[in-house]
Amino acid sequence: MKITSVECYLGTGAIGGFVTMKINTDSGIYGWGEAGLAYGKSAEAAFGQCQDFGKLILGMDPFNTEEIWEHLHRHTFWGMGGGGVITSAMAAIDIACWDIKGKALGVPVYKLLGGKTNDKLRAYASQLQFGWRKDIEAKDGLTLLYDPKDYYRVVKEAVDEGYDAVKIDPVFAPTEPAPMGDVMATQGTQIRGCYREHDLKRSVERIAAAREAGGPDMDIIVEIHSLLDANTSAELGKALEPYRIMYYEEPTMPCNANMFKHIKEKSGLPLATGERSYTRWGFRQFFEDRTLNVIQPDLANTGGITETKKICDMAQVYDIGVQIHVCGGPIATAAALQLEATIPNFVIHEEHNANLTSAFVKGGKYYYAPKDGYYTVPELPGIGQEMSEFYIANAKKVVIE
């Protein structure tokens, strides 16, 4: 089997538009992959990088995922230590090749990775500072919550749907309401270096409201999006200790593991990071000093299924749990489910509230969502998902032949 052409797509809507790839073969079997940079400001870069790397895999055998990964890693100059844009394109190619392998063999990808160790996958309602179902569906997009009473309300809504875990960023919204565009352009600036008492108090009140809404048995993940420096993050972490935090995510920028050690010593909270750490080499330092309790690699931006499986296996050596980071389209979600089904150190799956938007619901051929807070793994051959005709018709497209 040989790769004959690559189709690269840049979608519209959602969090910047999903960046996907369809790899075609001479057997007529095709596979779908995704570059996980739809959010933030790198979607166009990922779209272009998919085109650049797509040219390099023509004529290769999609079954040789290790060979293809090493080819892109070692023979492209920027593949070694190239960062998120590079590894997201590698991920799109890798996921699509695994999809092809599963389809060719007539089995879901998880069977090719060793089979299930998890029959169903616990999920949490993610990013509730941007609302949950009623808020999202009312405007078909994210909103931003300020009042602790609204945090109480959305947590109650998620719990009523069957979730027993939620994630909230209590610092993303400033104390006083402001236009969403202004907040996105200046997020966290007001609290770097000096956590004013009124900001600290409001952040804690939001998590306290969530704890009250969910009760003592609900798990709360506190997300910081690296908006704080190590000192302010440690200060907030210490203040949140009474609320039994499941883990403290991206408490500061992840490129200096020593800062995570400082935060852990000062706050005592379990720590997590991973969506901005790329490949095995990006996680190595956290494994060696055992700073993290949970890793959060995003298989759509850290090199795909091939690389993420290795990262998860490395984590198991250090008794570190895994929560795949999922903030993308239907392909990223389906691929994450396939991998999570196989790993024994799986902790929980991220169900982002952007998955409630029409761009996500209509973006895939199938719509997968948790039921009573749990996912079941797609049993279709491959990753069990394709992009929809609606997405393809509305996306920018470039074909590499």
Side-chain angles (χ1 to χ4, degrees):
M1 185 185 291
K2 301 295 182 185
I3 296 171
T4 55
S5 66
V6 176
E7 301 172 20
C8 302
Y9 295 91
L10 175 60
T12 58
I15 308 179
F18 307 130
V19 183
T20 65
M21 175 184 288
K22 182 183 179 186
I23 293 180
N24 300 305
T25 69
D26 56 2
S27 71
I29 298 173
Y30 58 84
W32 281 94
E34 181 171 348
L37 297 181
Y39 60 106
K41 301 297 180 183
S42 293
E44 290 278 1
F47 180 54
Q49 194 65 56
C50 285
Q51 295 169 52
D52 286 343
F53 279 4
K55 299 169 186 175
L56 303 180
I57 62 172
L58 296 177
M60 297 189 77
D61 184 345
F63 267 73
N64 294 342
T65 44
E66 290 286 348
E67 178 190 19
I68 291 172
W69 203 95
E70 281 295 308
H71 178 50
L72 298 175
H73 176 61
R74 294 194 168 273
H75 305 149
T76 60
F77 190 82
W78 298 113
M80 289 189 284
V85 172
I86 300 294
T87 52
S88 73
M90 294 169 70
I93 290 169
D94 185 75
I95 295 167
C97 287
W98 278 100
D99 191 30
I100 289 170
K101 289 200 281 188
K103 288 175 177 175
L105 297 173
V107 295
V109 164
Y110 76 79
K111 288 186 179 292
L112 304 180
L113 298 173
K116 286 183 183 179
T117 63
N118 307 296
D119 288 324
K120 62 178 184 176
L121 302 172
R122 185 187 181 205
Y124 68 85
S126 184
Q127 307 296 344
L128 295 193
Q129 74 279 357
F130 293 124
W132 192 243
R133 190 174 305 277
K134 292 177 183 176
D135 291 332
I136 303 296
E137 292 180 349
K139 61 183 297 186
D140 197 21
L142 307 185
T143 186
L144 188 55
L145 305 181
Y146 291 85
D147 194 316
K149 293 179 181 177
D150 287 322
Y151 287 72
Y152 180 95
R153 172 178 57 82
V154 293
V155 169
K156 275 288 189 186
E157 185 180 357
V159 169
D160 288 345
E161 291 185 15
Y163 290 94
D164 59 9
V166 300
K167 183 198 300 190
I168 294 170
D169 183 335
V171 311
F172 200 102
T175 302
E176 297 298 326
M180 177 78 103
D182 293 348
V183 175
M184 296 296 287
T186 60
Q187 50 185 307
T189 301
Q190 82 281 6
I191 42 182
R192 283 191 61 81
C194 179
Y195 218 137
R196 300 290 303 281
E197 179 61 26
H198 63 276
D199 286 323
L200 178 63
K201 183 172 181 287
R202 180 48 55 95
S203 296
V204 173
E205 287 173 344
R206 289 165 177 166
I207 298 303
R211 170 55 67 207
E212 182 182 358
D217 199 43
M218 184 191 71
D219 283 319
I220 299 176
I221 301 162
V222 173
E223 161 83 281
I224 301 298
H225 288 107
S226 298
L227 299 181
L228 302 178
D229 56 58
N231 294 327
T232 52
S233 183
E235 186 177 1
L236 175 60
K238 188 68 176 175
L240 292 176
E241 275 191 297
Y243 300 98
R244 201 181 65 77
I245 304 307
M246 184 180 182
Y247 48 87
Y248 198 31
E249 176 177 340
E250 273 202 320
T252 197
M253 195 264 284
C255 292
N256 188 344
N258 286 335
M259 296 302 96
F260 279 67
K261 190 174 183 179
H262 169 79
I263 293 166
K264 194 166 193 175
E265 289 173 349
K266 295 293 184 181
S267 73
L269 296 184
L271 301 186
T273 196
E275 71 187 273
R276 283 182 274 204
S277 299
Y278 311 114
T279 75
R280 287 159 278 173
W281 292 271
F283 286 88
R284 176 194 56 79
Q285 56 185 337
F286 292 111
F287 295 154
E288 290 178 353
D289 67 13
R290 192 50 174 81
T291 311
L292 299 180
N293 298 75
V294 176
I295 60 165
Q296 300 168 303
D298 188 319
L299 57 75
N301 71 23
T302 195
I305 293 171
T306 296
E307 184 67 5
T308 307
K309 179 64 163 61
K310 293 174 182 177
I311 294 168
C312 295
D313 290 343
M314 288 174 66
Q316 189 182 7
V317 174
Y318 296 90
D319 285 339
I320 295 173
V322 175
Q323 175 241 291
I324 301 297
H325 176 265
V326 186
C327 180
I331 300 298
T333 293
L337 294 173
Q338 295 292 330
L339 179 57
E340 289 167 337
T342 72
I343 55 174
N345 49 342
F346 166 77
V347 174
I348 197 166
H349 176 95
E350 178 173 20
E351 179 66 3
H352 201 287
N353 54 7
N355 291 12
L356 307 177
T357 64
S358 63
F360 185 94
V361 174
K362 297 192 295 184
K365 184 176 181 180
Y366 312 104
Y367 177 56
Y368 299 122
K371 182 177 181 182
D372 296 327
Y374 283 82
Y375 261 108
T376 55
V377 182
E379 295 289 344
L380 295 172
I383 63 169
Q385 183 63 283
E386 300 180 8
M387 296 309 285
S388 68
E389 292 299 323
F390 171 84
Y391 167 85
I392 293 170
N394 289 280
K396 187 186 298 184
K397 177 181 178 181
V398 173
V399 179
I400 310 295
E401 297 179 305

